[in-house]
Amino acid sequence: MAVDEGVAPAAETDEEGTVHRLKPNAIGLLGVVFMAVATAAPITAMTGNVPFMVSAGNGIGAPASYLVAMVVLAIFSVGFTSMAKHITSTGAFYGFISYGLGRTAGLASGLLATFAYVVFEPALIGIFSTFATGTLKDQTGVHIPWWAFAVLMLAVNAMGTWFGVSVAEKLLVVLLATEVTILAAMAVSVALHGGGPDGFGLDPVNPVNAFKGTSAGLGLFFAFWSWVGFESTAMYGEESRNPKKIIPKATMISVLGVGVFYVFVSWMAISGTGESKAVEVATANPLQLFFGPTEQYVGHWAVDVMQWLMITGSLACGMAFHNCAARYMYALGREGVLPSLKHTVGRTHPRHGSPHVAGLVQTIVTAVLLLAFWAAGKDPYSGTYVLLAILGTMAILVVQAVCSFAVLAYFRTHHPESRHWFRTLTAPLVGGIAMLAVVVLLVSNMSAAAGTESGSLVLKATPWLVAAVAALGIGYAQYLKRRSPERYLLLGRTVLEETKER
């Protein structure tokens, strides 16, 4: 591992002088891609977001929203991956922003990113439990309370992190392959039949239509929401093979691959339903926008399978977010942000090389949040999932915007050989401004996105909670700077030695 010049290497070792790092060479390019795509949860993004975008957002222009979002995120990723070629940090945004804008901004962003991933897991457990309860009752008549499925998912996620990223990768490969296959089967079948009742139309993918409809801002926000987590590629650098090559490739594959898939599948779902009827169908029975074309062009069996894959897809997504949260906690812990964290969440498993303590802490925090929402009488979907997903999304979008500006600042003073008018200047500038615009979209459409929870205290507190976490990071960093400068110097500076970043 490496830290800034002037900092004693002993600062990142334990009493025995052992450096705690994650297991190296645990996953390759495809493994990193699968972990990142799992956080996007394609089947959940499609069946959960697209009907709402069509009914209350930009109508049949929903696929165009994905097209616009893909372009913006690809531009953001150009700068993001330029930095990933020089810095390999399990803290990802935490490390990148610390190097670009300084340790204070780095710690604030690190806490915000950790906060986002921490709340994403209980959000996904909420939607997983809803899908599982509903599907089991519909197909077998058996009713099992949602909390039983919540406990099951908590246990699966905890075990996946405990035994290391390679174990989680193997499970995610299976889950993702099946959910992508069933969505692709529907889309390809519609395409091979020449479209739906109204034939093929280009209006759904006309970029102009992304900015039309009942609430274009809401539709665009949900499009960006569908990608949340793609940037998690960077946090697997320490565990991947040849991270300076793998992480940039995995990030672009995740953005562009998922983007093309989203555009095609949502387009075919609307076409298979019929452009003239899509808004009406999505409003009356949201899931029918996908179940209808699937049943008509593939078969009823595929609808049954799709229902089960909605369960496994949300499980895969929650597992990926659990891994993200654990790695952020671990990254903050091993640098001794709080001394007590260094020998707890900052430790790795002696055999599996996993952030096992951080994973256990994340499981406990998730359980507490779920209990709190249950005690408050919140529905696992409309309450727990929606409210926590909006909260986490706002936090991570702010961090993404800050990261773009960190890339700009970093390359002004580092690596002149890598400076480029587009990759390290124009792309991060445009990406940062675009990300700020998405934050504005979220804030202005927050109540509509929350649906029945539009009056919730959690929703009203969301911007203030995000601001409070950022303020805590800034305040604590300044405290360390004055009272414990040796710990302050370590903030965001633990990177792989191979990067030669000093």
Side-chain angles (χ1 to χ4, degrees), residues 3 50 65 82 103 134 173 180 182 187 198 207-208 221 230 242 289 311 320 322 345 348 356 366 409 431 442 500:
V3 297
V50 174
S65 293
S82 295
R103 295 166 176 82
V173 166
V180 166
I182 198 69
D198 303 326
V208 173
F221 162 65
F230 79 91
N242 198 355
L289 191 69
I311 300 171
H322 181 89
V345 297
T348 54
H356 63 305
T366 298
L442 169 54
K500 306 300 181 189

Side-chain angles (χ1 to χ4, degrees), residues 85-346:
K85 291 176 182 176
H86 294 283
I87 297 174
T88 301
S89 168
T90 299
F93 287 136
Y94 170 47
F96 289 4
I97 294 171
S98 178
Y99 271 99
L101 296 176
R103 295 166 176 82
T104 298
L107 182 57
S109 300
L111 288 181
L112 268 180
T114 305
F115 176 73
Y117 291 125
V118 164
V119 301
F120 277 141
E121 183 182 359
L124 266 298
I125 289 179
I127 197 170
F128 164 81
S129 302
T130 301
F131 286 159
T133 302
T135 299
L136 202 66
K137 189 172 182 180
D138 288 347
Q139 296 191 18
T140 69
V142 176
H143 175 71
I144 295 177
W146 72 266
W147 57 261
F149 290 107
V151 171
L152 173 65
M153 186 167 171
L154 271 174
V156 171
N157 289 351
M159 286 190 294
T161 301
W162 186 278
F163 290 107
V165 70
S166 59
V167 173
E169 175 205 354
K170 290 179 177 64
L171 181 56
L172 291 177
V173 166
V174 175
L175 297 180
L176 276 172
T178 50
E179 65 177 276
V180 166
T181 299
I182 198 69
L183 286 171
M186 179 277 293
V188 171
S189 295
V190 172
L192 291 177
H193 281 83
D198 303 326
F200 267 124
L202 294 178
D203 284 344
V205 289
N206 182 344
V208 173
N209 290 330
F211 304 93
K212 295 182 178 179
T214 308
S215 176
L218 185 65
L220 284 164
F221 162 65
F222 269 87
F224 280 95
W225 189 357
S226 302
W227 261 278
V228 165
F230 79 91
E231 74 291 332
S232 63
T233 51
M235 69 181 66
Y236 295 105
E238 191 173 309
E239 298 160 275
S240 65
R241 307 177 193 110
N242 198 355
K244 287 199 282 184
K245 288 186 177 180
I246 278 182
I247 301 309
K249 284 182 181 178
T251 305
M252 294 308 294
I253 290 172
S254 299
V255 171
L256 298 177
V258 167
V260 170
F261 185 76
Y262 281 170
V263 171
F264 180 58
V265 171
S266 59
W267 181 16
M268 290 303 102
I270 291 170
S271 181
T273 303
E275 290 181 24
S276 60
K277 298 190 301 180
V279 174
E280 180 186 343
V281 170
T283 304
N285 187 356
L287 287 176
Q288 193 62 23
L289 191 69
F290 283 86
F291 289 169
T294 301
E295 181 158 14
Q296 183 176 350
Y297 297 102
V298 184
H300 181 73
W301 65 270
V303 174
D304 290 339
V305 171
M306 185 176 282
Q307 284 185 290
W308 288 102
L309 293 180
M310 286 163 62
I311 300 171
T312 59
S314 52
L315 171 63
C317 185
M319 180 182 292
F321 279 129
H322 181 89
N323 276 278
C324 292
R327 276 155 182 77
Y328 261 102
M329 287 184 189
Y330 161 75
L332 290 165
R334 70 177 175 185
E335 290 182 351
V337 172
L338 288 173
S340 59
L341 298 182
K342 196 171 185 64
H343 307 301
T344 52
V345 297

Side-chain angles (χ1 to χ4, degrees), residues 418-439:
S418 297
R419 288 176 201 158
H420 186 271
W421 71 269
F422 181 71
R423 289 194 301 271
T424 61
L425 178 61
T426 307
L429 179 61
V430 172
I433 293 172
M435 286 295 125
L436 287 176
V438 179
V439 174

